[in-house]
mmCIF file of all heavy atoms in Angstrom:
data_model
loop_
_atom_site.group_PDB
_atom_site.id
_atom_site.type_symbol
_atom_site.label_atom_id
_atom_site.label_comp_id
_atom_site.label_asym_id
_atom_site.label_seq_id
_atom_site.Cartn_x
_atom_site.Cartn_y
_atom_site.Cartn_z
ATOM 1 N N LYS X 6 44.607 91.444 -196.404
ATOM 2 C CA LYS X 6 43.353 91.713 -195.794
ATOM 3 C C LYS X 6 42.630 90.523 -195.255
ATOM 4 O O LYS X 6 42.065 90.540 -194.201
ATOM 5 C CB LYS X 6 42.406 92.435 -196.825
ATOM 6 C CG LYS X 6 42.833 93.864 -197.139
ATOM 7 C CD LYS X 6 41.878 94.541 -198.052
ATOM 8 C CE LYS X 6 42.294 95.911 -198.358
ATOM 9 N NZ LYS X 6 41.350 96.649 -199.249
ATOM 10 N N ALA X 7 42.806 89.390 -195.967
ATOM 11 C CA ALA X 7 42.168 88.124 -195.474
ATOM 12 C C ALA X 7 42.773 87.572 -194.242
ATOM 13 O O ALA X 7 42.140 87.009 -193.433
ATOM 14 C CB ALA X 7 42.263 87.069 -196.603
ATOM 15 N N LYS X 8 44.073 87.829 -194.009
ATOM 16 C CA LYS X 8 44.722 87.351 -192.866
ATOM 17 C C LYS X 8 44.160 87.818 -191.514
ATOM 18 O O LYS X 8 44.249 87.160 -190.487
ATOM 19 C CB LYS X 8 46.310 87.641 -192.900
ATOM 20 C CG LYS X 8 47.021 86.850 -193.919
ATOM 21 C CD LYS X 8 48.459 87.147 -193.931
ATOM 22 C CE LYS X 8 49.245 86.320 -194.928
ATOM 23 N NZ LYS X 8 50.618 86.610 -195.025
ATOM 24 N N ARG X 9 43.534 88.962 -191.626
ATOM 25 C CA ARG X 9 43.021 89.548 -190.346
ATOM 26 C C ARG X 9 41.816 88.728 -189.812
ATOM 27 O O ARG X 9 41.354 88.937 -188.691
ATOM 28 C CB ARG X 9 42.684 90.977 -190.466
ATOM 29 C CG ARG X 9 41.505 91.247 -191.421
ATOM 30 C CD ARG X 9 41.244 92.689 -191.621
ATOM 31 N NE ARG X 9 40.109 92.810 -192.554
ATOM 32 C CZ ARG X 9 39.551 93.882 -192.776
ATOM 33 N NH1 ARG X 9 39.839 94.991 -192.205
ATOM 34 N NH2 ARG X 9 38.464 93.881 -193.611
ATOM 35 N N PHE X 10 41.266 87.869 -190.629
ATOM 36 C CA PHE X 10 40.105 87.066 -190.246
ATOM 37 C C PHE X 10 40.558 85.731 -189.580
ATOM 38 O O PHE X 10 39.681 85.024 -189.150
ATOM 39 C CB PHE X 10 39.246 86.712 -191.417
ATOM 40 C CG PHE X 10 38.523 87.984 -192.102
ATOM 41 C CD1 PHE X 10 38.966 88.507 -193.200
ATOM 42 C CD2 PHE X 10 37.528 88.579 -191.320
ATOM 43 C CE1 PHE X 10 38.356 89.584 -193.773
ATOM 44 C CE2 PHE X 10 36.920 89.706 -191.821
ATOM 45 C CZ PHE X 10 37.338 90.222 -193.050
ATOM 46 N N PHE X 11 41.823 85.443 -189.476
ATOM 47 C CA PHE X 11 42.276 84.272 -188.936
ATOM 48 C C PHE X 11 43.131 84.411 -187.703
ATOM 49 O O PHE X 11 43.988 85.393 -187.703
ATOM 50 C CB PHE X 11 43.114 83.458 -190.009
ATOM 51 C CG PHE X 11 42.246 83.080 -191.192
ATOM 52 C CD1 PHE X 11 42.154 83.878 -192.291
ATOM 53 C CD2 PHE X 11 41.576 81.827 -191.165
ATOM 54 C CE1 PHE X 11 41.397 83.566 -193.366
ATOM 55 C CE2 PHE X 11 40.793 81.427 -192.289
ATOM 56 C CZ PHE X 11 40.729 82.280 -193.359
ATOM 57 N N LEU X 12 42.964 83.636 -186.693
ATOM 58 C CA LEU X 12 43.828 83.690 -185.553
ATOM 59 C C LEU X 12 44.977 82.685 -185.779
ATOM 60 O O LEU X 12 44.825 81.601 -186.446
ATOM 61 C CB LEU X 12 43.062 83.257 -184.283
ATOM 62 C CG LEU X 12 41.952 84.149 -183.848
ATOM 63 C CD1 LEU X 12 41.127 83.540 -182.793
ATOM 64 C CD2 LEU X 12 42.475 85.481 -183.412
ATOM 65 N N PRO X 13 46.119 82.964 -185.188
ATOM 66 C CA PRO X 13 47.252 81.977 -185.294
ATOM 67 C C PRO X 13 46.938 80.643 -184.575
ATOM 68 O O PRO X 13 46.209 80.729 -183.541
ATOM 69 C CB PRO X 13 48.411 82.718 -184.660
ATOM 70 C CG PRO X 13 47.829 83.743 -183.793
ATOM 71 C CD PRO X 13 46.486 84.123 -184.416
ATOM 72 N N LEU X 14 47.390 79.597 -185.079
ATOM 73 C CA LEU X 14 47.218 78.289 -184.469
ATOM 74 C C LEU X 14 48.318 78.217 -183.365
ATOM 75 O O LEU X 14 49.327 77.577 -183.677
ATOM 76 C CB LEU X 14 47.234 77.206 -185.533
ATOM 77 C CG LEU X 14 46.946 75.776 -184.952
ATOM 78 C CD1 LEU X 14 45.622 75.724 -184.309
ATOM 79 C CD2 LEU X 14 47.103 74.793 -186.125
ATOM 80 N N ASP X 15 47.983 78.750 -182.180
ATOM 81 C CA ASP X 15 49.025 78.735 -181.146
ATOM 82 C C ASP X 15 48.996 77.453 -180.310
ATOM 83 O O ASP X 15 48.131 76.594 -180.493
ATOM 84 C CB ASP X 15 48.908 79.985 -180.254
ATOM 85 C CG ASP X 15 47.487 80.074 -179.577
ATOM 86 O OD1 ASP X 15 46.871 79.084 -179.357
ATOM 87 O OD2 ASP X 15 47.120 81.237 -179.274
ATOM 88 N N ASN X 16 49.913 77.316 -179.343
ATOM 89 C CA ASN X 16 50.046 76.196 -178.539
ATOM 90 C C ASN X 16 48.847 75.891 -177.660
ATOM 91 O O ASN X 16 48.397 74.819 -177.460
ATOM 92 C CB ASN X 16 51.253 76.216 -177.634
ATOM 93 C CG ASN X 16 52.550 75.982 -178.448
ATOM 94 O OD1 ASN X 16 52.557 75.421 -179.508
ATOM 95 N ND2 ASN X 16 53.659 76.458 -177.890
ATOM 96 N N GLU X 17 48.216 77.001 -177.154
ATOM 97 C CA GLU X 17 46.961 76.830 -176.345
ATOM 98 C C GLU X 17 45.842 76.235 -177.083
ATOM 99 O O GLU X 17 45.208 75.327 -176.535
ATOM 100 C CB GLU X 17 46.530 78.245 -175.812
ATOM 101 C CG GLU X 17 47.359 78.659 -174.619
ATOM 102 C CD GLU X 17 46.679 79.931 -174.048
ATOM 103 O OE1 GLU X 17 46.991 81.020 -174.577
ATOM 104 O OE2 GLU X 17 45.873 79.819 -173.046
ATOM 105 N N ILE X 18 45.633 76.653 -178.289
ATOM 106 C CA ILE X 18 44.583 76.097 -179.148
ATOM 107 C C ILE X 18 44.905 74.620 -179.456
ATOM 108 O O ILE X 18 44.046 73.732 -179.344
ATOM 109 C CB ILE X 18 44.392 76.808 -180.441
ATOM 110 C CG1 ILE X 18 43.828 78.230 -180.169
ATOM 111 C CG2 ILE X 18 43.426 76.079 -181.397
ATOM 112 C CD1 ILE X 18 43.784 79.191 -181.301
ATOM 113 N N GLN X 19 46.131 74.323 -179.732
ATOM 114 C CA GLN X 19 46.514 72.868 -180.067
ATOM 115 C C GLN X 19 46.350 72.005 -178.831
ATOM 116 O O GLN X 19 45.845 70.885 -178.937
ATOM 117 C CB GLN X 19 47.942 72.839 -180.526
ATOM 118 C CG GLN X 19 48.077 73.503 -181.955
ATOM 119 C CD GLN X 19 49.494 73.401 -182.506
ATOM 120 O OE1 GLN X 19 50.037 72.335 -182.567
ATOM 121 N NE2 GLN X 19 50.004 74.537 -182.925
ATOM 122 N N LEU X 20 46.631 72.489 -177.654
ATOM 123 C CA LEU X 20 46.492 71.731 -176.397
ATOM 124 C C LEU X 20 45.059 71.506 -176.155
ATOM 125 O O LEU X 20 44.586 70.459 -175.686
ATOM 126 C CB LEU X 20 47.169 72.438 -175.218
ATOM 127 C CG LEU X 20 48.696 72.387 -175.235
ATOM 128 C CD1 LEU X 20 49.262 73.307 -174.137
ATOM 129 C CD2 LEU X 20 49.212 70.964 -175.103
ATOM 130 N N ALA X 21 44.199 72.528 -176.367
ATOM 131 C CA ALA X 21 42.759 72.437 -176.195
ATOM 132 C C ALA X 21 42.182 71.365 -177.181
ATOM 133 O O ALA X 21 41.292 70.616 -176.812
ATOM 134 C CB ALA X 21 42.049 73.756 -176.380
ATOM 135 N N VAL X 22 42.673 71.373 -178.411
ATOM 136 C CA VAL X 22 42.248 70.348 -179.351
ATOM 137 C C VAL X 22 42.512 68.985 -178.819
ATOM 138 O O VAL X 22 41.726 68.066 -178.862
ATOM 139 C CB VAL X 22 42.811 70.580 -180.761
ATOM 140 C CG1 VAL X 22 42.663 69.389 -181.687
ATOM 141 C CG2 VAL X 22 42.311 71.796 -181.438
ATOM 142 N N ALA X 23 43.716 68.806 -178.362
ATOM 143 C CA ALA X 23 44.143 67.464 -177.847
ATOM 144 C C ALA X 23 43.262 67.064 -176.701
ATOM 145 O O ALA X 23 42.896 65.905 -176.571
ATOM 146 C CB ALA X 23 45.610 67.541 -177.437
ATOM 147 N N GLU X 24 42.942 68.043 -175.745
ATOM 148 C CA GLU X 24 42.123 67.718 -174.641
ATOM 149 C C GLU X 24 40.728 67.310 -175.101
ATOM 150 O O GLU X 24 40.161 66.342 -174.518
ATOM 151 C CB GLU X 24 42.094 68.960 -173.704
ATOM 152 C CG GLU X 24 41.301 68.775 -172.477
ATOM 153 C CD GLU X 24 41.194 70.100 -171.678
ATOM 154 O OE1 GLU X 24 42.148 70.861 -171.678
ATOM 155 O OE2 GLU X 24 40.177 70.277 -171.002
ATOM 156 N N ILE X 25 40.160 68.002 -176.031
ATOM 157 C CA ILE X 25 38.856 67.642 -176.561
ATOM 158 C C ILE X 25 38.831 66.239 -177.148
ATOM 159 O O ILE X 25 37.952 65.399 -176.871
ATOM 160 C CB ILE X 25 38.403 68.733 -177.564
ATOM 161 C CG1 ILE X 25 38.104 70.084 -176.885
ATOM 162 C CG2 ILE X 25 37.098 68.217 -178.363
ATOM 163 C CD1 ILE X 25 37.965 71.223 -177.860
ATOM 164 N N LEU X 26 39.847 65.969 -177.886
ATOM 165 C CA LEU X 26 39.895 64.697 -178.644
ATOM 166 C C LEU X 26 40.303 63.502 -177.777
ATOM 167 O O LEU X 26 39.985 62.368 -178.111
ATOM 168 C CB LEU X 26 40.858 64.737 -179.786
ATOM 169 C CG LEU X 26 40.453 65.715 -180.945
ATOM 170 C CD1 LEU X 26 41.486 65.728 -182.045
ATOM 171 C CD2 LEU X 26 39.072 65.320 -181.507
ATOM 172 N N THR X 27 40.842 63.746 -176.539
ATOM 173 C CA THR X 27 41.090 62.650 -175.609
ATOM 174 C C THR X 27 39.798 62.125 -174.915
ATOM 175 O O THR X 27 39.805 61.066 -174.342
ATOM 176 C CB THR X 27 42.140 62.953 -174.614
ATOM 177 O OG1 THR X 27 41.709 64.079 -173.840
ATOM 178 C CG2 THR X 27 43.470 63.264 -175.206
ATOM 179 N N ASP X 28 38.776 63.012 -174.913
ATOM 180 C CA ASP X 28 37.508 62.567 -174.295
ATOM 181 C C ASP X 28 36.714 61.693 -175.290
ATOM 182 O O ASP X 28 36.550 62.108 -176.422
ATOM 183 C CB ASP X 28 36.650 63.838 -173.944
ATOM 184 C CG ASP X 28 35.361 63.434 -173.330
ATOM 185 O OD1 ASP X 28 34.399 63.055 -174.073
ATOM 186 O OD2 ASP X 28 35.247 63.559 -172.107
ATOM 187 N N PRO X 29 36.331 60.447 -174.915
ATOM 188 C CA PRO X 29 35.711 59.531 -175.858
ATOM 189 C C PRO X 29 34.352 60.060 -176.469
ATOM 190 O O PRO X 29 34.083 59.790 -177.589
ATOM 191 C CB PRO X 29 35.390 58.287 -175.049
ATOM 192 C CG PRO X 29 35.878 58.520 -173.675
ATOM 193 C CD PRO X 29 36.492 59.909 -173.589
ATOM 194 N N ILE X 30 33.688 60.901 -175.689
ATOM 195 C CA ILE X 30 32.428 61.483 -176.247
ATOM 196 C C ILE X 30 32.695 62.640 -177.105
ATOM 197 O O ILE X 30 32.226 62.712 -178.309
ATOM 198 C CB ILE X 30 31.441 61.851 -175.088
ATOM 199 C CG1 ILE X 30 31.049 60.598 -174.266
ATOM 200 C CG2 ILE X 30 30.251 62.602 -175.665
ATOM 201 C CD1 ILE X 30 30.260 59.576 -175.035
ATOM 202 N N ASN X 31 33.509 63.623 -176.613
ATOM 203 C CA ASN X 31 33.784 64.854 -177.395
ATOM 204 C C ASN X 31 34.552 64.503 -178.717
ATOM 205 O O ASN X 31 34.386 65.208 -179.634
ATOM 206 C CB ASN X 31 34.501 65.856 -176.509
ATOM 207 C CG ASN X 31 33.705 66.411 -175.415
ATOM 208 O OD1 ASN X 31 32.476 66.400 -175.546
ATOM 209 N ND2 ASN X 31 34.353 66.946 -174.407
ATOM 210 N N SER X 32 35.299 63.461 -178.737
ATOM 211 C CA SER X 32 36.053 63.142 -179.923
ATOM 212 C C SER X 32 35.182 62.697 -181.033
ATOM 213 O O SER X 32 35.551 62.629 -182.232
ATOM 214 C CB SER X 32 37.083 62.014 -179.633
ATOM 215 O OG SER X 32 36.369 60.774 -179.303
ATOM 216 N N LYS X 33 33.880 62.415 -180.755
ATOM 217 C CA LYS X 33 32.905 62.078 -181.822
ATOM 218 C C LYS X 33 32.514 63.243 -182.594
ATOM 219 O O LYS X 33 31.729 63.169 -183.558
ATOM 220 C CB LYS X 33 31.699 61.418 -181.152
ATOM 221 C CG LYS X 33 31.930 60.044 -180.612
ATOM 222 C CD LYS X 33 30.644 59.437 -180.078
ATOM 223 C CE LYS X 33 30.851 58.063 -179.519
ATOM 224 N NZ LYS X 33 29.558 57.401 -179.158
ATOM 225 N N VAL X 34 33.083 64.409 -182.333
ATOM 226 C CA VAL X 34 32.822 65.604 -183.141
ATOM 227 C C VAL X 34 33.514 65.384 -184.516
ATOM 228 O O VAL X 34 33.129 65.953 -185.544
ATOM 229 C CB VAL X 34 33.339 66.896 -182.513
ATOM 230 C CG1 VAL X 34 34.837 67.028 -182.456
ATOM 231 C CG2 VAL X 34 32.612 68.109 -183.137
ATOM 232 N N LEU X 35 34.513 64.505 -184.528
ATOM 233 C CA LEU X 35 35.131 64.086 -185.815
ATOM 234 C C LEU X 35 34.424 62.875 -186.310
ATOM 235 O O LEU X 35 34.343 61.876 -185.658
ATOM 236 C CB LEU X 35 36.586 63.759 -185.587
ATOM 237 C CG LEU X 35 37.529 64.932 -185.210
ATOM 238 C CD1 LEU X 35 38.947 64.369 -185.058
ATOM 239 C CD2 LEU X 35 37.500 66.027 -186.196
#
Side-chain angles (χ1 to χ4, degrees):
K6 289 183 180 181
K8 286 183 180 180
R9 68 183 180 169
F10 293 108
F11 296 91
L12 294 171
L14 184 58
D15 59 27
N16 285 338
E17 279 188 277
I18 293 172
Q19 292 181 54
L20 290 171
V22 167
E24 183 181 328
I25 292 167
L26 294 179
T27 57
D28 181 280
I30 298 298
N31 291 337
S32 68
K33 290 182 178 187
V34 74
L35 295 179

